[in-house]
Amino acid sequence: MPNLSIISVVGARPNFMKVAPIHKAFKKYADVRHLICHTGQHYDETMSKVFFDELELPKPDFYLGVGSGSHAEQTAKIMVGFERVVTQNRPDVVIVVGDVNSTIACSLVAAKLGIPVAHIEAGLRSFDRSMPEEINRVLTDSISDFLFVTEQSGIENLKREGISEKKIHFVGNVMIDSLVHYMPKAERSDALSRFRVDPAKYIVATFHRPANVDTQEGLKLLLGFLKNIASRHRVVFPVHPRTRSNIRSFSLESSVNGQVSLSEPVGYLDFLWLMKNAALVVTDSGGIQEETTYMGVPCITIRDNTERPVTVEQGTNYLTGTNLDSAEKIARDVLSGKAKKGKIPELWDGKAAERIVEIIHKTIAENPKS
Ligand code: UD1
Ligand code: UDP
């Protein structure tokens, strides 16, 4: 009979694959009721529902339906909705993942209501406060009670910020848990034939960072870069809704040619399979840097910094900055067979969620709330 209750928060695309293994891992604990709150930050079928289906997540217990808006608007709406959920349900712990607006909004609500907060993917730092995610990371970590870290740099960053070592747990990477678990299913994807590409003969692209896609000039350069590298390898580019709406409003549809296939965002299983078979991935995503490192697929990250340095230091990721000439040069080297060989970072073994729920369960079972 469950006497402990835990609410995990999901909101945006990269949250679903992080919470799915946590949900599975809690099934082993008969005394825990694990509930899911979806804020509705992402709401398109291709940005949300497809992941619930593919990751075998149950329908969320709470749906806040906040939708899009400015940072203040979105964060505030999530906070108002989540405060109601927490007040009515008084969970023993609230779990937040990653660095999106739903992460900071819900951790702030829980912390102020005196509910312990567990932050999964704590300690990552780009040291670039112009990124909204960096502000979300620093603030969430500063009010969390459990800080679950994916790579060594996270431990150092948190200690430097004065966070007690007792709260920091190096557990590995839940996003990799999902990758390991779902790869056998992804192998049945027909995405390569749908995009009419052959293994190792194409490039996968994804871009959604405001710094890359929110100005007409920047987005035009980026699409020009894709067109250039597509001369010998086709580019498969499932387009994030932010990017899609900017391509439209800047009238840039004609900046790419037939060698660059723009599509709707694809589901998780198709996307894993597309990455796994690609000659190269070019991206500004956070999670994709980690997934490609795990799979040993070369990745070029078009950003000036990364909060995931292990993917560059040990993995297959190249951080090229936003200078597209240097990105193009590295792309040509990689495509001519000169890619660096990476290794899988410590504890990225598919078992991070088991470690996390064990730590949370032990702590709350030993310290029942009054
Ligand atoms: C958000 C996260 C970012 C994360 C990304 C993952 C924040 C501050 N940003 O960025 O860290 O890397 O998700 O994908 O939390 N839109 C739709 N349909 C949707 C969702 C969004 O059309 O289902 C459009 C709307 O025009 C919206 C825009 O995309 O205004 C941006 O959405 P938003 O959630 O604000 O930020 P993302 O760029 O998706
Ligand atoms: N992803 C997906 N379909 C796509 C693009 C990405 O399923 O069309 C997955 C990808 O495999 C990874 C996650 O979405 O698991 C990354 O999300 P995103 O790049 O939106 O966010 P970020 O990691 O940058 O915060």
Side-chain angles (χ1 to χ4, degrees):
M1 197 45 198
N3 61 343
L4 301 170
S5 87
I6 293 176
I7 299 182
S8 286
V9 175
V10 292
R13 175 166 70 185
N15 299 159
F16 307 117
M17 49 296 280
K18 294 172 193 170
V19 166
I22 293 289
H23 186 71
K24 274 193 202 82
F26 271 126
K27 287 194 174 144
K28 277 210 323 224
Y29 294 84
D31 56 344
V32 174
R33 192 156 171 247
H34 181 244
L35 303 166
I36 295 177
C37 177
H38 187 343
T39 65
Q41 175 172 350
H42 284 174
Y43 43 85
D44 286 353
E45 167 120 13
T46 54
M47 295 296 286
S48 174
K49 182 167 183 305
V50 64
F51 299 100
F52 277 82
D53 297 342
E54 293 189 348
L55 295 159
E56 301 157 293
L57 276 165
K59 199 166 164 273
D61 300 277
F62 314 100
Y63 184 70
L64 307 181
V66 299
S68 304
S70 70
H71 283 275
E73 221 173 346
Q74 189 175 59
T75 310
K77 276 193 200 156
I78 299 171
M79 288 183 70
V80 171
F82 194 60
E83 188 175 56
R84 222 168 277 140
V85 169
V86 174
T87 309
Q88 283 166 10
N89 294 274
R90 301 297 309 176
D92 293 271
V93 174
V94 164
I95 299 179
V96 294
V97 297
D99 54 17
V100 301
N101 283 347
S102 302
T103 313
I104 176 61
C106 295
S107 52
L108 197 47
V109 165
K112 289 203 171 174
L113 291 171
I115 309 290
V117 176
H119 184 203
I120 296 180
E121 222 178 64
L124 297 180
R125 296 290 181 266
S126 66
F127 304 102
D128 175 1
R129 294 267 173 119
S130 72
M131 286 180 84
E133 295 82 2
E134 182 72 355
I135 297 172
N136 294 344
R137 291 181 200 117
V138 171
L139 296 183
T140 302
D141 285 341
S142 71
I143 53 175
S144 292
D145 302 274
F146 299 85
L147 294 110
F148 293 112
V149 175
T150 52
E151 62 168 84
Q152 205 63 39
S153 73
I155 303 176
E156 287 149 26
N157 294 333
L158 293 173
K159 286 207 268 185
R160 199 181 321 106
E161 288 169 22
I163 290 174
S164 156
E165 278 184 52
K166 281 193 227 137
K167 296 183 183 176
I168 304 172
H169 308 275
F170 180 36
V171 288
N173 191 326
V174 286
M175 193 168 222
I176 301 304
D177 290 8
S178 273
L179 192 166
V180 169
H181 188 81
Y182 286 102
M183 190 50 85
K185 261 196 175 177
E187 283 170 13
R188 301 202 286 273
S189 159
D190 63 357
L192 270 66
S193 58
R194 284 200 334 267
F195 281 97
R196 287 194 250 128
V197 288
D198 293 320
K201 296 268 164 52
Y202 65 94
I203 299 165
V204 171
T206 76
F207 292 96
H208 67 272
R209 294 280 158 221
N212 279 332
V213 305
D214 276 6
T215 66
Q216 182 163 12
E217 189 50 27
L219 187 51
K220 194 171 171 199
L221 287 172
L222 195 56
L223 295 176
F225 159 75
L226 294 183
K227 195 169 157 182
N228 290 348
I229 59 170
S231 55
R232 281 179 45 220
H233 289 73
R234 272 188 72 180
V235 174
V236 174
F237 182 9
V239 187
H240 186 281
R242 171 189 287 277
T243 312
R244 179 186 60 209
S245 94
N246 290 340
I247 290 177
R248 258 188 224 137
S249 64
F250 301 145
S251 307
L252 290 174
E253 291 89 344
S254 58
S255 312
V256 291
N257 58 17
Q259 279 291 96
V260 181
S261 307
L262 305 184
S263 78
E264 287 297 304
V266 297
Y268 180 64
L269 300 175
D270 283 345
F271 197 72
L272 285 185
W273 196 234
L274 282 169
M275 285 192 289
K276 169 93 180 154
N277 287 286
L280 169 67
V281 174
V282 290
T283 193
D284 58 12
S285 161
I288 290 170
Q289 297 172 61
E290 296 180 338
E291 291 168 329
T292 47
T293 272
Y294 183 83
M295 292 188 278
V297 173
C299 177
I300 291 180
T301 301
I302 312 279
R303 283 176 45 187
D304 290 324
N305 47 59
T306 179
E307 60 289 330
R308 294 161 159 92
V310 77
T311 62
V312 176
E313 288 155 14
Q314 295 182 21
T316 50
N317 190 18
Y318 297 85
L319 188 65
T320 60
T322 43
N323 175 343
L324 293 169
D325 292 338
S326 110
E328 209 174 307
K329 184 181 174 311
I330 294 173
R332 297 213 181 281
D333 285 352
V334 168
L335 295 172
S336 62
K338 287 186 234 147
K340 65 176 170 180
K341 300 270 169 284
K343 66 169 192 178
I344 296 176
E346 192 184 352
L347 290 184
W348 290 19
D349 57 1
K351 298 194 170 92
E354 286 172 30
R355 295 184 193 104
I356 290 170
V357 301
E358 192 182 339
I359 293 166
I360 293 178
H361 180 262
K362 187 168 183 290
T363 310
I364 58 176
E366 282 171 6
N367 304 284
K369 66 182 172 207
S370 44

